[in-house]
Amino acid sequence: QLDRRQIDMKARTIFVGQSKNGFARTVSMHDKTHAAILPLMSEDRDIWEFDDGSDLEPLFMTDKGTPYPDTRVESSGNPMKTAHHTACRKAAIGDFTVHDWRRHWACWMLKEGVDPWTLMKMGGWSDLKSIEPYIQAAAGDMTRQAAALARVA
């Protein structure tokens, strides 16, 4: 549930008021994310007011033209998890969860040279111990890559 007022297209950042671990943070947008969101930011959207006094200018809308429910407070299921499951089923991919994307991203960032401290901040982890498994996985892959380079050098 992204609120368009929390997206800064010029600075290429998205403010997340309450992340999975409960903390607010600002994340940088990848160029592909910026390009994908740009047309959505130019569309007119109404501000939706809710019974609890909160409001939302949604970036994404359901096919019925309503904002997606906040799955942190409503037990309506998780649309991202449902869409992921459906896509994996259609592609005949088994045993691959939404969280596997996060693991993949963390390992990929480390393999590309992002330092653990920056990864921790970008991924919203609260301490370096949380990303230790990804550091170990990336280090194992880097050892294999170094051995391959030594064979061809």
Side-chain angles (χ1 to χ4, degrees), residues 115-120 125-133 135:
D115 67 276
W117 182 259
T118 301
L119 177 70
M120 181 189 84
W125 287 282
S126 56
D127 57 44
L128 288 171
K129 188 172 183 166
S130 302
I131 63 168
E132 225 170 85
I135 294 169

Side-chain angles (χ1 to χ4, degrees), residues 135-153:
I135 294 169
Q136 291 172 1
D141 189 71
M142 284 187 261
T143 301
R144 285 190 298 278
Q145 290 178 26
L149 286 172
R151 286 192 303 271
V152 297

Side-chain angles (χ1 to χ4, degrees), residues 9-144:
M9 296 301 284
K10 187 174 182 181
R12 295 177 176 242
T13 60
I14 301 171
F15 174 75
V16 180
Q18 183 179 2
S19 62
K20 182 178 173 180
N21 60 15
F23 299 111
R25 63 191 179 112
T26 300
V27 295
S28 298
M29 262 191 264
H30 187 278
D31 290 342
K32 288 183 181 181
T33 303
H34 186 269
I37 288 176
L38 190 59
L40 299 174
M41 293 298 286
S42 63
E43 293 178 7
D44 288 334
R45 296 284 166 92
D46 293 328
I47 294 179
W48 291 72
E49 295 182 15
F50 300 100
D51 294 339
D52 66 359
S54 64
D55 65 4
L56 174 72
E57 187 178 337
L59 179 65
F60 300 112
M61 305 285 276
T62 68
D63 57 353
K64 296 176 183 167
T66 59
Y68 283 96
D70 186 346
T71 57
R72 295 169 300 179
V73 296
E74 296 181 24
S75 59
S76 59
N78 183 327
M80 185 174 167
K81 186 176 180 180
T82 302
H84 173 81
H85 176 73
T86 301
C88 285
R89 184 174 32 89
K90 286 182 178 181
I93 298 170
D95 194 29
F96 191 77
T97 68
V98 171
H99 195 75
D100 290 330
W101 288 111
R102 183 172 168 87
R103 288 185 196 104
H104 171 78
W105 173 80
C107 289
W108 178 71
M109 294 295 283
L110 289 165
K111 290 175 192 176
E112 291 297 313
V114 172
D115 67 276
W117 182 259
T118 301
L119 177 70
M120 181 189 84
K121 291 296 182 189
M122 290 175 70
W125 287 282
S126 56
D127 57 44
L128 288 171
K129 188 172 183 166
S130 302
I131 63 168
E132 225 170 85
Y134 312 122
I135 294 169
Q136 291 172 1
D141 189 71
M142 284 187 261
T143 301
R144 285 190 298 278

